[in-house]
């Protein structure tokens, strides 16, 4: 879901100044002053504190913009490389429903992104692994390389299952766990 926020980069004071010059009034939502809501605590306490720590709100804003730009650039570089790994894996394995574990179980950031992308694809968009969940899967592989069969619960009714040198996505059914194939259909049962 995409949201358009055309005034996100405009400061509240700039909006108030514009309205004043136009002879218009505005209504302030009284809940904005209360720190009862987390969003208000962030706005009223955390952002001013961070601004003080870095030398002002303008510097904080520039740092956050820089982080956002860097993040977008990393993502733009990473996504095609992860897609390439998945495409090459598909052609060698001939099965889109599996995720081949990298040689030696050594996951790079490209493999981590590929695992994230693969899990979302295999689940029909119903399982979106957080980075913490991706780390749990990769740590399970690196900490226990001798264990070639295991199942790791990754949230709601989803598991990642290791079978040899491949991973499968499982959805917990009422009576049995099933592995999900590339098109979201049930592929195999245990």
């Amino acid at each position: 879901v995409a949201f358009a926020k055309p005034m996100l980069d405009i400061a509240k004071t700039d909006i108030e100044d514009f309205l004043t010059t136009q002879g218009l009034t505005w209504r302030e939502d009284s809940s904005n002053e209360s720190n009862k809501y987390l969003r208000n605590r962030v706005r009223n306490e955390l952002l001013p504190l961070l601004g003080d720590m870095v030398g002002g709100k303008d510097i904080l804003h520039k740092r956050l913009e820089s982080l956002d730009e860097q993040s977008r650039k990393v993502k733009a570089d990473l996504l095609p490389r992860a897609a390439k790994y998945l495409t090459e894996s598909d052609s060698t394995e001939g099965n889109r429903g599996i995720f081949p574990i990298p040689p030696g179980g050594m996951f790079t950031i490209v493999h981590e992104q590929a695992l994230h992308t693969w899990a979302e694809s295999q689940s029909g968009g119903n399982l979106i692994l957080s980075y913490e969940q991706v780390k749990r899967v990769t740590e399970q592989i690196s900490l226990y390389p001798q264990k070639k069969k295991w199942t790791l619960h990754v949230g709601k009714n989803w598991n990642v299952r290791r079978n040899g040198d491949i991973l499968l996505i499982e959805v917990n059914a009422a009576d049995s766990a099933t592995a999900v194939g590339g098109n979201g259909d049930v592929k195999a049962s245990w």
Side-chain angles (χ1 to χ4, degrees), residues 2 17 21 24 26 31 36 44 69-70 73 76 78 86 93 99 107 122 126-127 134 157:
D17 290 345
T21 62
L24 300 170
W26 67 92
S31 72
K36 175 181 174 183
N44 297 335
E69 181 181 348
Q70 289 173 334
K73 286 180 179 181
L78 195 55
L86 292 173
E93 299 296 333
F99 183 89
F107 277 77
Q122 294 308 301
N126 293 310
L127 173 63
V134 169
N157 60 339

Side-chain angles (χ1 to χ4, degrees), residues 93-104:
E93 299 296 333
N95 186 340
R96 197 165 182 85
I98 65 170
F99 183 89
I101 296 171

